[in-house]
Amino acid sequence: MFAEERQLVIAALVASEGRVTVTDLAARFAITAETVRRDLDTLEAARHLRRVHGGAVAIDRLSLSEPSLDERQTQRLDEKSRIADAAMRMIPTSRTGSIVLDAGSTTERLADRLSGFTPAVAGDQLLVITNAVPIAAKLSRNEAIQLDILGGRVRGLTSAIVGAGAVAQLGALRPDIAFIGANGISATFGLSTPDSVEAAVKSAIVRSARRVVVLADSSKLDQETLVCFAALAAIDTLVTDAAPSVDLAAALAAADVDVVIA
């Protein structure tokens, strides 16, 4: 096989699997590790992948890579819908209840369901606190929901409200449940997101709530992005659409995190 043909195969493997290792590629093509490294250097120069220790990862797996909210709203819709359905069953049914809805495409699917919320008993109240402009817009029309919006700057890429004001407001609150999203969930790095100011708000949400429920489809599992905003031990429940890997499942169990497969 010519080098150019081999490199096309490697690029396709990275695109489909997310990462490759030098050892596996050397065995697959019966070539030396040095030859593999030269192939990876060539592919990185052509922006087909990103070199990391021991191999390479897809460009979209970089720690600062972050699709816009509009992009994420078109991806993995069935999985996010199942996660939202499972989360909906966790909404407090007491006379008064309070939740935080973090910004994100999966939490927004939960907001879609809450837009038609009616209390089990007339007169019961549900307070929803959010830092997401689209979520606030959807819930503002439901008179059965008391809606509080955190104040601050709107981050255009995600339509999330961020900044010191939002963090300070959360520090004075103790909601019953926080439903929060993450860009990465790792056995060693915990929960992460690419942006530091959004990470600060997520950390404040986690600290504020009596119970923390992470809503994340399985593409986020075993991923790490730039900023860790919570350890696994800081969360109570993970709702996802597929079983975590062996290592992540063990770490979640050690942290006493309940895993719900939707």
Side-chain angles (χ1 to χ4, degrees):
M1 181 181 290
F2 294 113
E4 292 82 0
E5 295 175 302
R6 187 174 61 243
Q7 290 163 13
L8 287 174
V9 175
I10 293 172
L13 284 170
V14 173
S16 63
E17 298 179 12
R19 72 176 295 133
V20 292
T21 68
V22 171
T23 302
D24 288 346
L25 292 175
R28 182 187 183 101
F29 296 107
I31 56 178
T32 66
E34 185 57 36
T35 299
V36 172
R37 293 188 185 97
R38 286 198 296 269
D39 284 344
L40 296 181
D41 287 341
T42 299
L43 289 167
E44 183 177 44
R47 298 189 178 184
H48 291 300
L49 51 76
R50 178 69 174 174
R51 289 291 309 276
V52 296
H53 179 71
V57 297
I59 292 293
D60 63 2
R61 299 293 180 93
L62 299 183
S63 63
L64 278 171
S65 176
E66 185 176 14
S68 70
L69 181 61
D70 287 343
E71 291 176 275
R72 285 182 284 142
Q73 285 173 333
T74 65
Q75 299 168 348
R76 303 179 69 85
L77 297 182
D78 180 64
E79 293 88 342
K80 292 174 182 179
S81 294
R82 299 203 309 269
I83 291 168
D85 288 339
M88 191 67 187
R89 294 191 284 272
M90 301 177 186
I91 298 298
T93 57
S94 56
R95 186 173 61 83
T96 57
S98 58
I99 67 172
V100 177
L101 281 187
D102 180 29
S105 58
T106 308
T107 50
E108 191 170 334
R109 301 294 280 188
L110 176 55
D112 288 336
R113 284 143 181 78
L114 281 171
S115 65
F117 168 83
T118 56
V121 177
D124 286 358
Q125 295 180 336
L126 177 65
L127 170 65
V128 179
I129 304 157
T130 188
N131 69 320
V133 174
I135 288 175
K138 290 182 177 183
L139 298 184
S140 64
R141 295 184 285 271
N142 187 337
E143 295 182 357
I145 289 177
Q146 180 183 343
L147 178 65
D148 277 11
I149 307 172
L150 298 176
R153 174 177 64 86
V154 177
R155 184 171 178 246
L157 188 67
T158 59
S159 295
I161 298 168
V162 296
V167 171
Q169 284 177 270
L170 287 160
L173 299 174
R174 188 71 73 223
D176 297 319
I177 305 178
F179 294 98
I180 193 163
N183 297 74
I185 303 174
S186 161
T188 55
F189 197 56
L191 280 69
S192 59
T193 195
D195 184 74
S196 59
V197 293
E198 199 154 338
V201 176
K202 288 178 180 289
S203 291
I205 291 174
V206 170
R207 291 192 301 269
S208 72
R210 301 176 190 273
R211 180 184 178 196
V212 179
V213 178
V214 178
L215 307 182
D217 70 74
S218 54
S219 70
K220 312 297 175 52
L221 305 183
D222 292 309
Q223 301 301 316
E224 297 176 357
T225 57
L226 185 64
V227 186
C228 172
F229 65 85
L232 294 181
I235 67 175
D236 298 287
T237 304
L238 167 64
V239 186
T240 187
D241 60 276
S245 66
V246 173
D247 289 346
L248 181 55
L252 290 164
D256 199 25
V257 176
D258 182 31
V259 178
V260 175
I261 308 299

